[in-house]
Each structure stands twice: as C-alpha cells, then as structure tokens.
Amino acid sequence: MSEPLLRVRDLSIAFGTPRGRIRALRHVNFDVPKGRIVGVVGESGCGKSTLAYSLIGLLAANAQITAGSITLDGTELVGLPDRDMRAIRGTRIAMIFQDPMTALNPVSPIGRQMTDIQYRDATSRAEKRQRAIDMLTRVGIPDAEALLDAYPHQFSGGMRQRVCIAMALLTRPDLLIADEPTTALDATLEVQIVSLLRELQREFGCSVVFVSHHLGTVAELCDDVAVMYAGEMIERGEVREVFHRPAHPYTQALFECDPGRIKIATRNLPTIPGDLPDLVQVPPGCIFKDRCPHRWDRCDTEHPPLYEARGDRHDARCHMIDPAESRAEVPS
C-alpha cells in the first residue's frame, strides 16, 4: 500500500445555528492513499459533503473546524492562510460539484471558463485554448473546438458534467474530490460518468475522494470505502472486504436497504427504523445505539473506538467486535 496523499486526523466541525452549535463532524480519521479512489457513503445528512468541502477549504461561513488536522502530502491545511489555500485549490486539489446544472457560469462560454481556470499557467491564451480542446475531447465531447463558444445551457446534463470533469482535471491535480457527481444524471449517463472517472483516474494517476449515496456506484468505482453515520466515520476498509463482510450493524442495515440487493419482488422497500440523533446535544455512548438491534449496556455509556474488524485495514466503531469482549462477534 502506498503512502497516503491525504491524512485526516481527529477532524471535528461544528456549525453555528439559532438552536446552538451543530456538531456535524466528530473525530473523523481516514487516509487517501496515492493513486486510489476512496468512496464515502452514508445517509443524507451524515456529513459526507461537509467532509468533502473541508478538504478543499470551502466550508460555509457559519462552519468552524474545532479540532483535528488535514494534511496533503505533509502540508497542513487546517489554519492555512487564505492566500496559501487558494494556491493549492485548483492546482493540487480540484473538485467536481454535485449539480452540473449550476456548477458552471451561465453567462460565460465554456471555452472562456476553461481558459480562465488556467490563469496560473504562464502560457499563451492559444495554448490554454488548445489544452481545453484536448481535455474536452478526452472526456468524450465531440467537435470540442466548435463547442468552446457555446454556453452551458446549450449542453445536456451529462455533457455539462463532462465539462466539469474536464475543468477539474485540466490542472492535473494530485487529489480530485467528487461530491455525488452522478446525482442529477439518469442511470445510463451515471454508468458512463463512472466509467469515465475510473479511466481518467488511471490515466492521470490522481487520488480521488468519491462522495456518494449510491452503493452500486461505489462498489464499481472505488478501491476503499468509508461509511459515515451522524457525523462519525463508523467503518472503513477495502471495498470488497466491507461490502462482502460488513462489521458494523449500521453498515449491515444500510446494505440491506440497497434495492440492488433485493432478490424477491416487493412493494415495500426495507428501511432502518428510528430517527437520527440530535447533533446539538450529542448523546453519550454509541451514536447508533437507538437504532441498533444489537444494543447492550456498554453501548449506552461508552463511545466505541475503531476496532480492527476482520482483517488488515478494515475497522469499525462497534463494541461487539472488541477482541476483549465475550460478545465479540457481530451477527451477520
């Protein structure tokens, strides 16, 4: 396994609201190895996008990193001056945003946006324009030169997302963050975009953080996966290991709710019973305890650390896999 390009250690983020401080992320730890794709999955509101935006320094004005560290190839990003962060953003780190319909400037031609993003490069405008043409061609846009003068509204949703991918890769970043880039696309386009991302990642050799709620897409695209619940990273490991042998009860329940795994026709899709905890007043103990069918006394009082689950580089935040416990085996 190569050395991590990105290290996140004990990261906690809170949002100021009229109700009080929402502790959106708490003590998150994970690595993104060089040349690998790491998927981040979980229910809506679990903190996936907050984590993604913290990596590139684009958190909302009412957000505050209250603890922790984010390092990119040894460079600490937390507390980095705005000027230094701007030098990294768009060069070493790039992002594909969730909605291709709003990610592009609607009053500027595609060609101008793709040349402007190269403003740090000391090359002529003609060379920048040619690089834009080459990249648009690389992501599968036909007759790219003729379309440089087109506006975003003249492209379909799938074509716009291809433009966004081309812009993100134009500066050949070390780390690419994709925040649910297929959400606004239909199933056919989703398959095409996922295949394109995998192909381009192999070509450029960048690391990728792929945020998604689509389990099938993560299984198809990613090398590693991190599962989040209510602001905590509760399981992480290689995709094959986690998908075939999930260790945390939440991960098991999440996979059981995946329509792609249902083999018998039914009108009622499975759900996870119960409600999300209040993140203004985070309860003690395990964050999943109120919805967990395997809850026991220790879960009420002791917050579980990440235990080694079922092999190297696979761990989960559940007391039932504590090797010191007599109840060490998680029911499958």
Side-chain angles (χ1 to χ4, degrees):
M1 180 60 61
S2 61
E3 281 296 309
L5 171 72
L6 182 81
R7 291 179 183 268
V8 177
R9 292 292 179 269
D10 201 36
L11 181 66
S12 297
I13 297 175
F15 288 85
T17 72
R19 288 186 57 235
R21 288 164 63 84
I22 296 176
R23 298 172 62 190
L25 288 185
R26 299 177 310 286
H27 310 294
V28 171
N29 293 277
F30 85 118
D31 294 336
V32 180
K34 293 179 180 179
R36 289 176 73 87
I37 304 177
V38 179
V40 181
V41 301
E43 294 174 282
S44 296
C46 69
K48 303 187 301 295
S49 292
T50 298
L51 175 60
Y53 279 83
S54 71
L55 303 180
I56 198 170
L58 291 178
L59 289 169
N62 66 332
Q64 180 185 8
I65 296 178
T66 57
S69 169
I70 304 171
T71 56
L72 179 72
D73 226 3
T75 301
E76 178 60 60
L77 302 184
V78 175
L80 197 67
D82 290 342
R83 181 176 181 178
D84 295 336
M85 191 66 209
R86 285 196 298 268
I88 292 174
R89 189 188 302 125
T91 54
R92 300 203 66 194
I93 305 177
M95 189 165 188
I96 304 169
F97 295 93
Q98 183 173 144
D99 187 1
M101 306 301 178
T102 59
L104 299 169
N105 187 339
V107 297
S108 179
I110 294 298
R112 181 182 300 172
Q113 296 185 56
M114 295 194 70
T115 52
D116 287 350
I117 204 173
Q118 303 174 63
Y119 72 94
R120 295 183 179 91
D121 297 340
T123 56
S124 67
R125 195 163 186 85
E127 290 176 302
K128 293 176 182 177
R129 182 180 174 88
Q130 185 57 51
R131 287 180 62 191
I133 293 171
D134 294 341
M135 187 58 73
L136 288 175
T137 302
R138 186 67 196 82
V139 298
I141 294 182
D143 199 11
E145 185 172 4
L147 292 175
L148 282 183
D149 295 325
Y151 288 84
H153 71 270
Q154 295 175 272
F155 291 81
S156 67
M159 295 293 271
R160 279 188 237 188
Q161 194 62 290
R162 289 172 187 267
V163 171
C164 291
I165 293 172
M167 291 179 68
L169 291 173
L170 201 53
T171 56
R172 293 182 176 266
D174 298 317
L175 176 66
L176 177 65
I177 302 168
D179 181 24
E180 303 198 42
T182 61
T183 297
L185 308 178
D186 61 40
T188 302
L189 286 175
E190 182 176 22
V191 171
Q192 294 176 4
I193 293 299
V194 167
S195 299
L196 176 63
L197 278 173
R198 169 58 87 177
E199 184 179 346
L200 292 172
Q201 185 271 337
R202 287 172 176 165
E203 178 180 340
F204 291 100
C206 59
S207 300
V208 179
V209 174
F210 184 81
V211 177
S212 180
H213 61 269
H214 196 304
L215 299 175
T217 301
V218 171
E220 177 71 23
L221 176 66
C222 300
D223 303 304
D224 306 296
V225 63
V227 183
M228 297 193 67
Y229 176 76
E232 295 184 9
M233 194 162 285
I234 52 93
E235 186 162 0
R236 62 191 185 185
E238 293 188 350
V239 162
R240 180 177 294 275
E241 175 69 19
V242 173
F243 273 66
H244 283 236
R245 298 197 298 172
H248 197 283
Y250 171 71
T251 309
Q252 296 174 3
L254 186 67
F255 289 172
E256 288 170 3
C257 293
D258 182 9
R261 295 188 172 215
I262 300 175
K263 296 180 171 57
I264 301 175
T266 177
R267 291 180 177 272
N268 300 314
L269 295 177
T271 60
I272 302 175
D275 299 317
L276 288 167
D278 184 358
L279 297 187
V280 174
Q281 296 180 333
V282 179
C286 175
I287 195 66
F288 187 60
K289 62 184 179 184
D290 291 337
R291 306 174 74 184
C292 182
H294 311 298
R295 174 180 178 174
W296 53 301
D297 293 345
R298 190 177 176 187
C299 305
D300 292 331
T301 57
E302 185 179 340
H303 185 262
L306 281 166
Y307 297 105
E308 184 176 313
R310 295 184 172 115
D312 186 35
R313 297 186 63 252
H314 180 193
D315 43 32
R317 200 178 290 277
C318 180
H319 290 308
M320 288 193 293
I321 58 173
D322 181 359
E325 265 299 337
S326 59
R327 300 182 56 171
E329 188 66 29
V330 175
S332 58

